[in-house]
Amino acid sequence: MGRPPCCDKEGVKKGPWTPEEDLVLVSYVQEHGPGNWRAVPGNTGLLRCSKSCRLRWTNYLRPGIRRGGFSDHEDRLIVHLQALLGNRWAAIASYLPDRTDNDVKNYWNTHLKKKLLLQHQQRQRASTAAASSLPSPSKGQWELKLQTDIDLARRALRDALSVDAAAGPPGMAAAGSAPTAAPAQPYAPTARSVDGMLLDGWAAAPAAGRSCAVVGGTVIPAPAPATPPGATDSTSGSSSVLTTECSGSISSASNKRAAPPVAAGHRLLLVHEENSTSAGQGEVPLSAIESWLLEDAGGEQKLPHESLLLDAALHNFGF
DNA sequence: AACGTGAGCAACCGCATCAGA
DNA sequence: TTCTGATGCGGTTGCTCACGT
C-alpha cells in the first residue's frame, strides 16, 4: 500500500547540500520559478529527489528568509500561536513572513519549549509559595473568564480550521510566508555555504522592494517570474500588498494542513506592505488575531493572559 | 590534546491531501 | 468516482560544532 518514497531510487544523493548544488537549484528556480519540483532533478542534473529540492528551496534558499535571531516579539507570537493552533508550524510560520515552518519548529523545540517549561516551573514555585502564605485567590474570576475566552477562541479556530473552504489554491500555505520586501539578511556563512560564489549578473544589489535569494551571504535578486503560481506576488508591482481576508473561518484544506492566512475569502487581515518602514524584525503590521494576541499592555508588547496561554502551550506539549 | 556530551539545525521520512486524468 | 502523481506538513533523525572534563 502506498507509493514507495520518491527518494528510494538509486543514485539519489542524500545529506547536506553543497554550495554547488545550491547554486544549481537557485539558478534553476530563478529561471523557471518554484514549482514543478518533479522536473527539477532531471532538468538541472541534480542527483536529488524533487522533495529534497523543494525542501532546500523553501527552508533555505528562498528569498526573504531570515535565519536565527528571533526577537522577543517573535518568541511571544510563536508561543501564543502555538497555544492557539497547536503544532501547526506552517500556520504559525505564516504569521512570521520571513520565517520558515522548519525554522519555527526547530526554534520551538530547542529554545521555546525549555523556556516555557522553566517559566512554568518558576510560576508553580511562586504560586506554591504564595498559597502557603495567603488565602490565595488562586484563580480569580476574571482569570477563569479569560481561560474560557481562550478555550472558546481555540475551539473556534479548530472549527474554522476543519472547514474546507476550498478557497486557497494549493501551495498557499507557503505563500503565507511569501517573500517580503525586506531584503534577505545575509546569514553568517558556514563551511557549507557558497560564500563569495556568484552567478553571472546576480551580484547586483537587489532592486528596492524586490525579493532576493541569499546564497552563502551573497544576495541574489529574484526575477519577477520567480513567483510561485498562485502565490501572492510580492515581487510584482511597486506597492504590492499581501492581503489576507478570512471570512469567518480561517480556511484550511484540511484539519492537518496549515491554515494559510493568504487564502482567498478570509476575513482576518494580514497586511504586509512591501514598502513599509516597519517591515523590520518583529514589526510586521498586526492582523486582528495578532492584535488580539499581542494586545498592548502598558506600552510594550506585553502579552495578555500570558500565564494562561503559557499553560495552553505547555498543555499542547503534554507538560 | 583527546574525548565525551549536549545543543542546534538541516535534512529525511512517512503520511495526508490536492488536482488532474 | 477512482486512481495516480505531485506537493505540503509535522515528526524525527543524524550531523556538526561548541563546550566541559
Side-chain angles (χ1 to χ4, degrees):
Chain A
M1 201 163 85
R3 284 171 300 130
C6 68
C7 303
D8 271 0
K9 289 183 216 149
E10 295 230 349
V12 173
K13 191 180 170 194
K14 291 184 183 179
W17 280 64
T18 65
E20 290 77 15
E21 287 175 312
D22 281 347
L23 279 174
V24 170
L25 181 58
V26 169
S27 163
Y28 179 83
V29 174
Q30 291 271 323
E31 198 177 335
H32 300 90
N36 195 13
W37 296 108
R38 197 72 181 173
V40 173
N43 292 345
T44 60
L46 284 170
L47 298 175
R48 298 279 182 172
C49 73
S50 56
K51 233 171 162 179
S52 186
C53 294
R54 181 181 59 80
L55 218 58
R56 183 64 180 172
W57 172 259
T58 55
N59 286 338
Y60 205 83
L61 300 172
R62 203 184 63 197
I65 292 179
R66 200 151 48 86
R67 313 189 64 78
F70 281 78
S71 67
D72 285 348
H73 171 265
E74 287 175 306
D75 278 11
R76 288 196 288 266
L77 187 54
I78 292 168
V79 167
H80 287 72
L81 286 169
Q82 202 280 337
L84 287 166
L85 301 169
N87 295 357
R88 298 176 207 280
W89 302 116
I92 292 171
S94 70
Y95 285 92
L96 298 145
D98 44 5
R99 303 290 188 183
T100 68
D101 54 353
N102 207 37
D103 221 14
V104 171
K105 180 173 61 180
N106 282 335
Y107 186 63
W108 171 268
N109 285 329
T110 56
H111 293 94
L112 292 179
K113 226 158 89 172
K114 284 180 215 158
K115 197 170 156 184
L116 286 182
L117 189 56
L118 202 68
Q119 285 178 10
H120 180 67
Q121 287 169 344
Q122 285 172 348
R123 259 192 329 111
Q124 277 196 326
R125 272 197 294 273
S127 69
T128 307
S132 63
S133 62
L134 289 172
S136 95
S138 57
K139 267 201 175 176
Q141 271 196 331
W142 76 272
E143 199 174 359
L144 285 170
K145 182 180 180 303
L146 288 175
Q147 180 67 70
T148 308
D149 289 345
I150 301 285
D151 290 343
L152 283 171
R154 294 182 65 188
R155 201 172 312 139
L157 259 172
R158 208 175 307 128
D159 290 346
L161 289 167
S162 69
V163 172
D164 184 1
M172 291 304 283
S177 49
T180 68
Q185 297 182 1
Y187 53 85
T190 67
R192 292 198 291 263
S193 73
V194 285
D195 195 30
M197 299 174 71
L198 299 173
L199 287 182
D200 284 346
W202 289 14
R210 194 165 152 200
S211 304
C212 51
V214 178
V215 177
T218 302
V219 178
I220 301 169
T227 304
T232 306
D233 184 1
S234 64
T235 66
S236 65
S238 58
S239 62
S240 71
V241 173
L242 261 181
T243 304
T244 307
E245 274 213 79
C246 321
S247 55
S249 66
I250 294 179
S251 164
S252 174
S254 73
N255 54 8
K256 185 191 174 189
R257 288 284 162 96
V262 192
H266 287 198
R267 170 154 296 164
L268 250 174
L269 275 176
L270 180 62
V271 178
H272 195 78
E273 293 219 51
E274 198 164 58
N275 297 325
S276 166
T277 53
S278 66
Q281 172 170 325
E283 292 177 348
V284 175
L286 299 180
S287 67
I289 191 170
E290 286 171 306
S291 298
W292 177 72
L293 286 167
L294 299 168
E295 197 172 87
D296 247 14
E300 71 179 55
Q301 296 232 309
K302 184 72 185 165
L303 292 156
H305 341 316
E306 193 133 11
S307 65
L308 296 174
L309 282 160
L310 179 68
D311 283 343
L314 290 164
H315 180 263
N316 282 342
F317 263 77
F319 288 138

